[in-house]
């Protein structure tokens, strides 16, 4: 599959955009400082907080699972049976469990992921969402693939 370029110049803090890569949705989320601050707090509730059993490039093997902390680039396909989760960035979104700090919710069987795509404990999805290969072609163009 060919790489795809995403123009992130109009992406506001807290917003998500989607591009299609190899027939799959790839989400780009511009995380706010507050969203980033909540990530380490989620670690005890996660199945694989350090992404040891999950798929991401080496350069995205860190707390934020990204090259630049501000931008999450992630394949929007649930690691359970392949549904596309919903973006639920707000703390305590109504369809979430208590203590939800914002992230992604899969409506098919209820898997939850944080704003780094890391899976919660006790849900069907076995691993974190996949981080695709990508790089910043310019400050405002992300090349996926
Ligand atoms: Fe997402 Fe089953 S496909 S929870």
């Amino acid at each position: 599959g060919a790489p795809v370029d995403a123009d992130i110049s109009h992406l506001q803090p807290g917003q998500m955009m989607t591009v299609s890569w190899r027939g799959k949705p790839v989400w780009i989320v511009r995380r706010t400082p507050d969203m980033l601050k909540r990530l380490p707090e989620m670690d005890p509730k996660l199945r694989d907080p350090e992404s040891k059993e999950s798929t991401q490039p080496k350069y995205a093997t860190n707390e934020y699972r990204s090259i630049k902390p501000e931008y999450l680039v992630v394949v929007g396909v649930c690691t359970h049976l392949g549904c596309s989760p919903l973006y639920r960035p707000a703390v305590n979104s109504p369809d979430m469990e208590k203590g939800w700090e914002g992230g992604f919710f899969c409506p098919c069987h209820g898997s939850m992921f944080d704003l780094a795509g890391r899976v919660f404990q006790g849900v069907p999805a076995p691993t974190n969402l996949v981080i695709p290969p990508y790089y910043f072609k310019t400050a405002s163009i992300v090349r996926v693939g």
Side-chain angles (χ1 to χ4, degrees):
V4 60
D5 286 347
D7 180 355
I8 58 170
S9 56
H10 297 292
L11 198 60
Q12 299 301 311
Q15 275 188 343
M16 177 180 95
M17 64 178 286
T18 306
V19 294
S20 180
W21 175 65
R22 296 188 174 175
K24 292 175 185 165
V26 170
W27 300 327
I28 303 173
V29 179
R30 185 171 174 187
R31 294 177 290 199
T32 64
D34 194 54
M35 288 170 164
L36 292 172
K37 198 170 62 112
R38 296 200 296 264
L39 291 177
E41 296 165 9
M42 297 312 300
D43 287 6
K45 299 178 184 174
L46 303 173
R47 179 171 288 157
D48 185 16
E50 292 173 49
S51 299
K52 288 187 173 147
E53 285 151 33
S54 303
T55 302
Q56 61 277 315
K58 235 192 181 83
Y59 48 78
T61 306
N62 53 56
E63 179 76 44
Y64 305 110
R65 304 189 74 217
S66 63
I67 296 172
K68 296 184 185 181
E70 190 176 8
Y71 293 101
L72 172 69
V73 180
V74 64
V75 177
V77 174
C78 184
T79 54
H80 181 221
L81 294 174
C83 289
S84 197
L86 306 167
Y87 184 45
R88 290 287 182 271
V91 176
N92 295 322
S93 297
D95 50 359
M96 298 299 169
E97 280 181 18
K98 213 166 171 271
W100 175 258
E101 297 287 333
F104 307 96
F105 174 71
C106 185
C108 287
H109 315 95
S111 288
M112 298 186 295
F113 306 87
D114 77 353
L115 284 164
R118 299 178 303 172
V119 67
F120 275 65
Q121 292 167 3
V123 300
T127 52
N128 298 339
L129 299 177
V130 171
I131 307 293
Y134 72 95
Y135 64 93
F136 285 83
K137 205 174 150 193
T138 69
S140 59
I141 302 286
V142 178
R143 175 159 284 187
V144 180

